Amino acid sequence: FVGTPSFLMTLINRAEEMGHDVRRDFALRRAWFTGEMLPDRLRRTMEEDYHIATTQAYAVTEPGGAIAYECCQKAGMHLMDEYVVEIVDPSTGRQLGPGEIGEVVVTPTHNEAWGLIRFGTGDLSSYTTEPCPCGRTANRLVAILGRTGDAVKVRGMFVVAKQAEQVVHSFEEVSQFQMVIGRRQQRDELTMRVELKDGAIDKQRLAERMSERFQSLCRVAIDGFEFVESGSIPRDHQRIVDTRVWE
Ligand SMILES: [Zn+2]
């Protein structure tokens, strides 16, 4: 299968509704995904429940297709030699370094007739220069984290809703969350509003653990926690609320 993960999942669900046993009736062994983000949970379902070996690639139509691809390590996507790929601050176009989140900007070098220079994809990612155990020396895009609109800058660093979700959802105690970005004395402040499944747990301990994991993944510190009553955060809420006023 080549295509988006959600389309494959739709096919699988439809086949099961029609009475097929997907593992037995289809010789579906490998899937190469592109075109949308591959959530970890969906990947596990494909691999563990359906025994489909999955790999993904990052492709952008305008500069010419696949730009980065996963190797057998499945730990980020190696950049292809045919493109100059930069991660930039979307507001200034300035290049960012390894580990910093910004917009993916692509210049194809393999097609001289194309003439596309620094194409802004609108996708957010970061890259790593760490050597990959597979032996390839190309830098890797860590993951596509969202679109430029899904993120806010807090103290100069992007906080991406999807990434925060990944951190918070690793804590079973939490049922809902929302990040509120405010500003006090010329400094951005990130407050994490949290609803708990069980209000009787040790909140301070949970806050410490969440802070630590959040900072190591999102590289921004949480300034404070607000534990709210169950039901205070609407189910279809925004993950990030920006209350900053720029005067
Ligand atoms: Zn590799």
Side-chain angles (χ1 to χ4, degrees), residues 8-16 22 28 46 50 52:
L8 179 55
M9 205 58 230
T10 304
L11 291 178
I12 289 173
N13 291 337
R14 188 82 186 96
E16 285 180 341
V22 173
L28 196 51
M46 303 269 190
Y50 296 100
I52 301 167

Side-chain angles (χ1 to χ4, degrees), residues 14 23 44 57-58 75 83 144 149 151 178 183 191 205 217 243 246:
R14 188 82 186 96
R23 276 174 60 187
R44 274 202 302 277
Y58 172 58
Y83 303 90
I144 301 303
Q178 186 168 52
R183 201 160 163 83
T191 306
R205 180 79 196 104
L217 192 73
T243 63
W246 304 95

